Amino acid sequence: MIRGSAMAATIKDVARLAGVSQSSVCRALAKPEQVRPETRERVERAARDLGYYPNRAARGLITGRTANIGVVLPDLANPFFPSVVKAIQTQARLFDYAVFLSDTDEDPAVETSLIRALAKQVDGFLLCSPRAGDEELRACDRELQTPIVVLNRRVSPFPSVTADSADGMRQAVGHLHALGHRRIAYVAGPRTSWSNRDRLRGLRSATSSYDMDLIEAGNVAPTVDGGAAVADLVAASPATAVIAYNDLVALGLLNRFRAREIAVPGRISVVGFDDILLAGLVTPALTTVAIAKEQIGRAGVELLLDLLGGRSPVNKRTPTQLIVRASTGPVPQ
Amino acid sequence: MIRGSAMAATIKDVARLAGVSQSSVCRALAKPEQVRPETRERVERAARDLGYYPNRAARGLITGRTANIGVVLPDLANPFFPSVVKAIQTQARLFDYAVFLSDTDEDPAVETSLIRALAKQVDGFLLCSPRAGDEELRACDRELQTPIVVLNRRVSPFPSVTADSADGMRQAVGHLHALGHRRIAYVAGPRTSWSNRDRLRGLRSATSSYDMDLIEAGNVAPTVDGGAAVADLVAASPATAVIAYNDLVALGLLNRFRAREIAVPGRISVVGFDDILLAGLVTPALTTVAIAKEQIGRAGVELLLDLLGGRSPVNKRTPTQLIVRASTGPVPQ
DNA sequence: TTGAAAGCGATACCAC
DNA sequence: GTGGTATCGCTTTCAA
């Protein structure tokens, strides 16, 4: 490769212009106190004049630290994830980490192959709601030796951040019970989703402790269309209220119910999960279990940094909070 | 650094295990046809056994190609961007590129500093709706020599992909004119946003050719709250229809109008821009100018690859399409 | 306090 | 067809 004037400046260029050695440039920039003020200034001037920024990849090669973190998630089109990613970004930047982002399109195979491909370019991974099996993830880990933190799922032995769905479900069911509902339907999300299983588990425990009937529908894709697809099934069931796997599914239900002129909450109450922006803006506004998305992202980065710093992080569980809006009401007589 | 059994395998390990030189490993993996089948098999076996994946950063150092592209955008919380990013990801993966993502929080200073920091780790940038000034962007470019493609904005001399806002505005204005409206308000987005200026330009030309009055409000943040903040101003104006900078702003208007029981479209018609998922789900559903988000993302990657391949890409303009929904109706008598 | 030199992991070139 | 070696940009001993 021929170095033309067009190439970006390297440490050599700075050294030459400042009239010192590479080592001194490196020190002047990284540990200013170890170098004579005069030298430091010369280096700083030269660096500024050349617009020098160190090549982080080259640095990573020798330090073993890339200052990148990898974020893998199933579907950026689900508004839940951008919120989490945004929080991750913000927190990562605080510690001068950059973010590699990968969308797997809900495909477990893509997921593991992406992890493998990215592994050497990042110091660690934040896997958001990974769809691959526990054993596959462990295999990746053994093979790659890249620290992994899992969000929205618990997979031993990885540190993880999860929402307290059980408590969220308890709140939701308590709310519906107070309104007089005794038969609830649940529209299940993807079979591969740990959150789905977790939410269902919490829901079962809540309904049984309230001695209510639970009717399970699904599984559906975690999208508006997924919800619309089972709306008629739900309507035909004896349920007077329905809890959806997430807000998108709930919105699908709402849409289809409106199209069929099934009154919400007059004839059936609808509860979502996640509290995405949409939930508060539709009519009727959606009652939903809010998840601390920002907190999950932030905590994920913290756990990963702990891991990287040699500390052993503990799993974190973030609170959930029922947000009551217009889509739930008293059971129809 | 001490190489323990815990470290991920390198090309040396593979060479040792296969009993060949590094060079052969490299060739066997990159250009299988240039090596004896027997050697290739030995190498492949060794690589598989060790779980060897090449270090892309190290490779990039020598090839000058990182196989990464950098995506920079102002706010992931605006649903418009995840759609674009998703398309970028999909297209990038087709060509085996990984994506670095950065959210600048609408801050031009963060934007340029991120670009500089990432420059060496990517082969090129896709800047989505960058907020920095033209001259700042050009300065980055001169300094870094990293190819840049700009989305949703035109900044000479960068290749760019933009939506045909003028045509979208023409469609929207034509639609409103046909409904009898003669006085339209526009709620402007961020002053730093090129799209905002572009849309306004298109709108001015459309209203003037229809001989309609244009009342300008704003500038507001491109969010729901931004829209809500000027809703009362708009309501107090003589406008019978309002076009918002984007859908989020339009939803803010819609919300506030409902709170004040200002009928939409009975008393005032509302038009958005972008056609995010939300737009179709609120009540009344939002009439909006749809932008080809996926196409923008895809075209962006294509232009960037052209640039990287030494071809000189031409600017692209993607079509817009008015989606008529319930939020627009005949002018009130 | 500074400089020379080794080396991170991979590729490319040049002999053989 | 294969191996040795220089090299990418940077950090880090180790001497001076």
Side-chain angles (χ1 to χ4, degrees):
Chain A
M1 193 167 27
I2 295 161
R3 161 161 310 281
S5 65
M7 294 288 306
T10 74
I11 199 172
K12 265 185 187 158
D13 303 324
V14 179
R16 198 176 314 127
L17 182 60
V20 298
S21 71
Q22 286 185 42
S23 336
S24 296
V25 175
C26 187
R27 267 180 300 238
L29 264 28
K31 321 159 183 162
E33 72 283 1
Q34 286 187 23
V35 45
R36 212 173 9 159
E38 188 201 314
T39 316
R40 173 168 26 142
E41 263 173 49
R42 295 232 314 266
V43 170
E44 277 168 355
R45 266 257 327 264
R48 201 162 350 98
D49 290 354
L50 292 169
Y52 170 74
Y53 271 73
N55 182 327
R56 299 174 75 147
R59 171 187 294 166
L61 208 50
I62 182 148
T63 59
R65 182 178 170 283
T66 62
N68 294 146
I69 71 184
V71 173
V72 180
L73 45 78
D75 183 16
L76 210 45
N78 179 343
F80 176 80
F81 293 112
S83 300
V84 175
V85 173
K86 176 138 188 154
I88 291 174
Q89 287 258 0
T90 304
Q91 186 71 8
R93 187 157 53 244
L94 275 184
F95 295 92
D96 206 34
Y97 274 83
V99 170
F100 259 112
L101 181 74
S102 290
D103 180 312
T104 67
D105 264 319
E106 304 269 355
D107 185 335
V110 171
E111 195 170 275
T112 49
S113 92
L114 275 173
I115 293 176
R116 274 181 250 265
L118 249 55
K120 300 260 178 62
Q121 295 194 82
V122 302
D123 293 337
F125 282 106
L126 250 31
L127 306 184
C128 304
S129 314
R131 303 304 197 209
D134 288 19
E135 202 37 68
E136 288 174 273
L137 291 176
R138 280 192 282 265
C140 272
D141 182 51
R142 271 194 307 275
E143 187 180 309
L144 301 173
Q145 300 291 329
T146 306
I148 292 180
V149 168
V150 176
L151 307 186
N152 301 319
R153 173 168 168 184
R154 198 139 286 185
V155 191
S156 155
F158 309 112
S160 65
V161 184
T162 50
D164 193 348
S165 315
D167 184 55
M169 282 299 186
R170 232 181 334 265
Q171 296 178 54
V173 172
H175 168 67
L176 292 174
H177 185 270
L179 288 167
H181 296 272
R182 294 298 177 265
R183 287 184 307 274
I184 302 184
Y186 176 66
V187 178
R191 225 177 285 276
T192 45
S193 158
W194 185 89
S195 309
N196 178 57
R197 295 193 298 274
D198 191 45
R199 289 170 190 187
L200 182 54
R201 205 174 320 142
L203 178 56
R204 280 190 184 136
S205 131
T207 48
S208 88
S209 78
Y210 276 102
D211 200 27
M212 293 162 80
D213 286 346
L214 179 61
I215 298 145
E216 300 179 20
N219 306 64
V220 302
T223 61
V224 174
D225 291 338
V230 292
D232 297 321
L233 255 82
V234 171
S237 81
T240 59
V242 54
I243 299 183
Y245 163 65
N246 72 8
D247 286 346
L248 289 179
V249 172
L251 291 170
L253 294 171
L254 241 35
N255 260 12
R256 176 64 184 164
F257 288 159
R258 179 170 14 169
R260 287 193 51 204
E261 300 187 342
I262 296 171
V264 174
R267 152 90 172 72
I268 190 165
S269 287
V270 177
V271 178
F273 222 101
D274 286 352
D275 192 31
I276 60 178
L277 175 64
L278 246 93
L281 298 175
V282 295
T283 318
L286 186 63
T287 292
T288 187
V289 176
I291 291 190
K293 299 175 273 300
E294 290 71 25
Q295 201 180 332
I296 289 180
R298 199 166 354 108
V301 173
E302 281 163 7
L303 292 202
L304 188 54
L305 293 184
D306 280 352
L307 216 50
L308 296 176
R311 295 174 291 279
S312 32
V314 289
N315 290 341
K316 206 153 201 166
R317 185 182 289 279
T318 63
T320 50
Q321 172 66 57
L322 180 72
I323 311 282
V324 176
R325 299 205 183 95
S327 70
T328 47
V331 65
Q333 296 308 317
Chain B
M1 193 169 26
I2 295 161
R3 162 162 309 281
S5 65
M7 294 288 307
T10 73
I11 198 171
K12 266 187 186 156
D13 303 324
V14 178
R16 198 176 315 127
L17 183 60
V20 298
S21 72
Q22 286 185 42
S23 331
S24 295
V25 175
C26 187
R27 267 182 301 239
L29 266 27
K31 320 161 182 158
E33 71 285 1
Q34 287 187 22
V35 16
R36 212 168 14 152
E38 189 201 313
T39 317
R40 172 169 24 143
E41 262 172 52
R42 294 232 313 266
V43 171
E44 277 168 355
R45 265 259 325 268
R48 201 162 350 100
D49 291 354
L50 293 168
Y52 169 75
Y53 271 74
N55 182 328
R56 298 173 77 149
R59 172 189 293 165
L61 208 50
I62 182 141
T63 58
R65 181 178 170 283
T66 63
N68 295 146
I69 71 184
V71 173
V72 179
L73 46 79
D75 183 17
L76 211 44
N78 179 342
F80 176 80
F81 293 112
S83 300
V84 176
V85 173
K86 176 139 187 151
I88 291 174
Q89 286 259 359
T90 305
Q91 186 71 10
R93 186 155 56 244
L94 276 183
F95 295 92
D96 205 35
Y97 274 83
V99 169
F100 258 113
L101 182 73
S102 290
D103 180 310
T104 67
D105 264 319
E106 303 269 355
D107 185 335
V110 171
E111 195 171 276
T112 49
S113 93
L114 275 173
I115 293 175
R116 274 181 250 265
L118 249 56
K120 301 262 179 60
Q121 295 193 81
V122 303
D123 293 337
F125 282 106
L126 249 31
L127 306 184
C128 304
S129 314
R131 303 304 197 208
D134 288 19
E135 202 36 67
E136 288 174 273
L137 291 175
R138 281 191 282 264
C140 272
D141 182 50
R142 270 195 307 274
E143 186 180 310
L144 302 172
Q145 300 293 326
T146 305
I148 291 180
V149 168
V150 176
L151 307 187
N152 299 320
R153 173 168 168 184
R154 198 139 286 184
V155 191
S156 155
F158 308 112
S160 64
V161 185
T162 49
D164 193 347
S165 314
D167 185 55
M169 282 299 186
R170 233 181 332 266
Q171 295 179 55
V173 171
H175 168 66
L176 293 173
H177 186 268
L179 289 167
H181 296 272
R182 293 298 177 267
R183 286 184 307 274
I184 303 185
Y186 176 67
V187 178
R191 225 177 285 277
T192 45
S193 158
W194 184 89
S195 308
N196 178 57
R197 295 193 297 274
D198 191 44
R199 290 171 190 185
L200 182 53
R201 205 174 320 142
L203 178 55
R204 281 189 184 137
S205 130
T207 48
S208 87
S209 78
Y210 277 102
D211 200 26
M212 293 161 81
D213 287 346
L214 179 61
I215 298 146
E216 299 179 21
N219 305 65
V220 302
T223 61
V224 174
D225 291 338
V230 292
D232 298 322
L233 255 83
V234 171
S237 81
T240 59
V242 52
I243 299 183
Y245 164 65
N246 72 8
D247 286 346
L248 290 178
V249 171
L251 291 169
L253 294 171
L254 241 36
N255 261 12
R256 177 64 185 165
F257 288 159
R258 179 168 17 165
R260 286 193 51 203
E261 301 187 341
I262 295 171
V264 174
R267 152 91 171 71
I268 189 166
S269 288
V270 178
V271 177
F273 221 102
D274 285 353
D275 192 32
I276 59 179
L277 176 62
L278 247 94
L281 298 175
V282 295
T283 317
L286 186 65
T287 292
T288 188
V289 176
I291 291 189
K293 299 175 273 300
E294 290 71 25
Q295 201 181 331
I296 289 180
R298 201 168 349 110
V301 174
E302 281 164 7
L303 292 201
L304 188 53
L305 294 183
D306 280 351
L307 216 49
L308 295 176
R311 294 175 291 280
S312 33
V314 288
N315 290 340
K316 207 154 200 166
R317 185 182 289 280
T318 63
T320 50
Q321 171 66 57
L322 179 73
I323 312 282
V324 176
R325 299 205 181 96
S327 70
T328 46
V331 66
Q333 295 310 316

